[in-house]
Structure formats: C-alpha cells, structure tokens
Amino acid sequence: IFYSLFVLELVFLPYQVRKFFRGCLRIRKIKKELSRYKEDIENKTSLFKEKEKLRREIMEEESRIASLNDTSALSAYISEEAKKTAVEILKITLQDEQLIKETPTANYFYLPLVIEAEADFHNLALFFNRLHKGMYLLETKEVIIQSRWPNHKIKMVVCGIVKE
C-alpha cells in the first residue's frame, strides 16, 4: 500500500506543482493589474482636479472679456486706471471693431481705442502694467511718445477684446 501511494504521489506531484506555479503567476498578474488600477484611480483624481482648475481659469479669463454693448465701461475703466497712475487722459476715441473669432456661442472682436494722454515714463509704465493685469483683456498695439518736459505727450492704440 505504501508503495502504491508513493507511485501515485510521483505521478500526480508534477501536476500539482504546475498547478501551484500557475496559481502563483495568476496571483502576480492580478496584483500588477490591481496596482495599475490604483495608479489609474490616482491619475483620474488628479485629472479631475486639473480639469476643475482649468475650468476656473477659463471662467476667470472669460469674465475679463467685455461686452460689445458695454464699451463705455471699458473707457471708464481705462480712465480710472489712468487717474490711479497719474496719467492724464486727454482724449479716448473708439474705432470700429474688428472680428477675431466666430464661435457658436459668441463672436469676439478687437475694439481699438485711440488714447491721447500726458505722463512721465514711470507713470506710463505703471498704467500699462495695470491695464494688462486688470479686469479687462486689453492689449497695447501702438505707442507714440513725443518727448516733452515734465510730461510726455502720448498717443497709443489699446485694443480691448469684446464679445457680442
């Protein structure tokens, strides 16, 4: 009986060893997949956070775009920033808007404003800095400076981005 059990054991032992190693390989594969899924979940969470951050940034930038019907507020804002930086605005002239982009939800335009002013260089630089970082999307297109003392005569074209 002992010999017959020993022979049976020799016959079935390789089968059981193979089955054991297959099970170990399957467990290792499942562990790898599990760790990959955990990484994917972490990446998904970070992607959702990044998406939310970008959505907030887009909303913030969109809030800086003035309405085409609200050009007087844009002029008033420029005048207010000029007062804060000791730039004396002599005249603001609105020119015809230029279409930049058509989208299904809105049309976007450049609205050129020709500004004649007087200021020294330091205050003019402060004025430009405040305009570009301010509540509206503004871009300086052209600046002509006639040197005079104590304040220089300045003619500039500032384009506001507006939507309709």
Side-chain angles (χ1 to χ4, degrees):
I1 288 184
F2 181 70
Y3 286 118
S4 61
L5 287 175
F6 181 72
V7 170
L8 284 175
E9 201 56 40
L10 285 177
V11 172
F12 288 111
L13 182 64
Y15 172 76
Q16 291 173 345
V17 169
R18 274 186 279 151
K19 189 174 180 183
F20 172 75
F21 283 119
R22 283 185 192 149
C24 289
L25 288 174
R26 199 171 36 216
I27 289 171
R28 190 178 322 152
K29 182 179 175 184
I30 290 170
K31 283 183 178 180
K32 282 183 183 179
E33 286 181 12
L34 183 61
S35 69
R36 195 184 74 213
Y37 288 139
K38 285 180 182 178
E39 288 175 10
D40 288 347
I41 288 172
E42 290 173 10
N43 289 339
K44 184 177 178 182
T45 303
S46 67
L47 286 174
F48 278 125
K49 287 179 184 177
E50 184 69 22
K51 178 183 174 187
E52 184 61 26
K53 178 184 168 196
L54 289 173
R55 188 185 63 78
R56 282 192 305 267
E57 287 177 11
I58 288 169
M59 287 177 58
E60 184 178 303
E61 288 300 313
E62 282 182 346
S63 71
R64 294 182 64 204
I65 299 174
S67 169
L68 187 59
N69 300 329
D70 202 15
T71 55
S72 59
L74 192 59
S75 297
Y77 170 74
I78 291 171
S79 295
E80 185 64 33
E81 293 301 318
K83 286 178 189 173
K84 290 178 184 175
T85 56
V87 172
E88 182 184 347
I89 300 271
L90 305 174
K91 182 177 169 185
I92 297 178
T93 307
L94 293 174
Q95 293 184 332
D96 293 335
E97 65 273 357
Q98 302 161 4
L99 182 66
I100 322 173
K101 178 81 175 166
E102 289 184 56
T103 66
T105 56
N107 294 328
Y108 295 90
F109 299 90
Y110 272 129
L111 181 65
L113 297 106
V114 178
I115 302 170
E116 295 179 25
E118 289 185 355
D120 64 16
F121 284 120
H122 177 73
N123 291 338
L124 181 61
L126 290 174
F127 175 65
F128 284 141
N129 188 40
R130 290 182 69 94
L131 281 184
H132 294 182
K133 292 183 178 179
M135 65 184 277
Y136 291 110
L137 281 176
L138 297 169
E139 181 180 19
T140 304
K141 288 290 191 180
E142 182 181 340
V143 178
I144 299 170
I145 300 174
Q146 291 179 343
S147 183
R148 290 197 289 174
W149 192 87
N151 289 331
H152 308 288
K153 187 170 182 172
I154 302 147
K155 184 174 183 178
M156 63 187 106
V157 177
V158 175
C159 288
I161 297 178
V162 295
K163 65 182 173 184
E164 182 179 50

